[in-house]
Amino acid sequence: MRASIKTRIFSPGSSQKNALEFVLGYHAFMHAALVILLLAFQSPSSQVDLAQQAVAQAKAKEFDAAVASLQELAATGVALEDDLDGTGSPMKDVVNAIYEKCWANFNPEFNRKCWLSMFDAFPDSQYATVAASRLLMAGLKDDVANEITRFEKFFSKAEQTPDVKRRYVDAYLKAAISNDKVLRLAIEAWDASWSTADEKHNGNHIECELDTDKAFSALSMATVLHESGLQSNNPLFAMEAEPTVTFDDVTANIGLADLKETRVAACDFDKDGDPDLSFGGRLFENQKGVFVEVGKERGITHKGSGSAFGDYDGDGYFDLLIAASPSPFLYRNLGKKGKYRFENVTDSCGFADVNLAAGPEGISWVDVDNDGDLDIYIAVYENGGDGHPDALLLNNGKGKFKVQMQSDNLCGRGVSACDIDADGDQEVFVSNYRLDPNLLLSYRKGKFTDTAAGLNVKGKLEPDDGKYYGHTIGSCWGDVNNDGRIDLFSANLAHPRFVRQGFSNLSFLGIQNEEGVFEDTFNDSGIRFQETHSDPALIDIDNDGDLDLSITCVYEGVPSALFQNDGTGKFSPITFRAGAVAFHGWGQTWLDINQDGFLDVIYASGAGVRAFMNSGNDNHYLRVSLSARRQNTAGFGAIVTVTEADIDPETATPRTWVRQLFNTRGTSSQDEPLLHFGLGDYFGRCEVEVRWPGSKKVTNKRPKADTVYTVKK
């Protein structure tokens, strides 16, 4: 309005116009100078008010106003990237608020608006790099040439710190750009990150890995997308050991392409000798090595966050439990006569009394009361950050369940049961998130007793406020060092900044000692730190007789991890050399898809399910299937010992391996319910001893190597 009025009164080129412009300019200059002068003398309290105002505006999506408030605050002499007394870093807090809003809004135009004002207003800030990488990502996705040119030029001028390089790798990758520039940039980011960390931390490799974790993820994804292989010039080559087996990606070959699911369970539900799959209730039948979805035609009409197979009614057929809120679903397998269809028995079995306050994350079939039938334990996660009681469903042996609830309001993520002390009773390990303690529960006389603290598996206690400072997701059990005792691996999501502040735990590798206490050996195990460990599995991938380790990692762009055990509990990374990597993984299942005696793997992932076939080697194996009459017919919880039988004890000591048959682990992941023993170079008969769950009964057999052998009770 002012400009149009001025044009009407003064004609172009007039001396009056020049004079007025001088006057107006002088007044504008003096006004600006006065504002700056006044701002410079603002009290600390008013500066804090401005900082808080900027953050509040950003949270309210008033991004231009937030930037204006930051500029006003900067005019007072405040260093925006430093902490301001009475509040945090104004710039950091505003950027975090913008990031949060952009994260929840996937509209490219919205994202541009959020970040562009920040980039233009503060081009010299370290946060300009964050804004530029986001804007570059939007430009690449929409092929906006001017944006791509603009923000790539900014990158070339920015200080080439490891974080700057990583952010641009992230932008290129998420925009599906895969070229030599990306790979080169990723290698440079990794080299710079490691060099900086190593110099800073004097060879403390855990600290180095904390600092290089994000660069490692960027390098990993760039390498995989380029399908460049691990040449000697790639840092991933140097940091991994030579694997004794490799894996081939068979996702498309076996019918699982374009499938995005986060949990997976394996079981031969139709008893035709090969494993089938359930992805949270989506049922896939193995038809000569190809998985075909058959859920609807088999009668399953519900889906949940996860699922688990178990024979709840003792008829010898695997039924299917589907984790869902407010109540789980139970489908009964009608068996051979019913052509292996499933009947929904949710209401008739007593689940109508179940009312879960939030979504279930971990479920498991486990005989907690030792009466011979399978009960159900459900770990209930959170709703708005608040914990909720878990659910215990007790089987009465007649197809009905009685609901019992835990008293603790915790954020349950996973359930894995184990007979830790080989006394015939099952203990239940409940992994809890949100700084809640983990539980190790023994059921006696109608109630649970928690023994986690005494056995050192509860988590790291912070004495100041009594919180157990960890974020445990999944867990698994197995004899890691072949001493006959069962050990525990629990996967923790551990943010580096919180690790350093002392309230976030690294993942836990608990080796059970002679007193039954679990000693944490993670730092000395060779297992590489990754921020988002999720679902672990202890399995023998190379049939050498010791348990190797596979871990999924839940963040987008973060790779799974595969480690090879040397037999003593020392692990070496082999993920990329072995060729079995999935990004954004949640659940996993280990099974023998092609029945060759070597374990294959299927990773359930939000980025797409991935299936890898094991190439195998010259080692031998024995697979043990259990069959009992009535109730727990699959023998979940049984302890099986295998010993070389055709060895002359006078010339050599026969090797022995101990395994347990578990139902689920991690966060509702289930492996094929067979016990897999790698025998190395041994090819002869084996002494097989089965200690049945809840019983002192022992069964002995002498099967041959390289067979799948069923032991009946």
Side-chain angles (χ1 to χ4, degrees), residues 286-336:
N286 189 337
Q287 298 181 2
K288 298 180 179 180
V290 177
F291 292 96
V292 179
E293 189 166 9
V294 297
K296 290 183 179 180
E297 65 186 73
R298 298 280 186 172
I300 296 176
T301 57
H302 292 96
K303 187 178 183 300
S305 57
S307 57
F309 291 96
D311 182 10
Y312 83 95
D313 55 359
D315 64 355
Y317 301 108
F318 284 102
D319 311 301
L320 184 61
L321 175 69
I322 300 173
S325 178
S327 174
F329 300 101
L330 180 59
Y331 282 86
R332 179 174 179 257
N333 189 338
L334 299 178
K336 185 177 181 179

Side-chain angles (χ1 to χ4, degrees), residues 397-408:
K398 300 177 181 179
K400 299 281 188 179
F401 291 86
K402 180 182 178 182
V403 182
Q404 286 194 1
M405 307 296 289
Q406 283 287 94
S407 59
D408 295 320

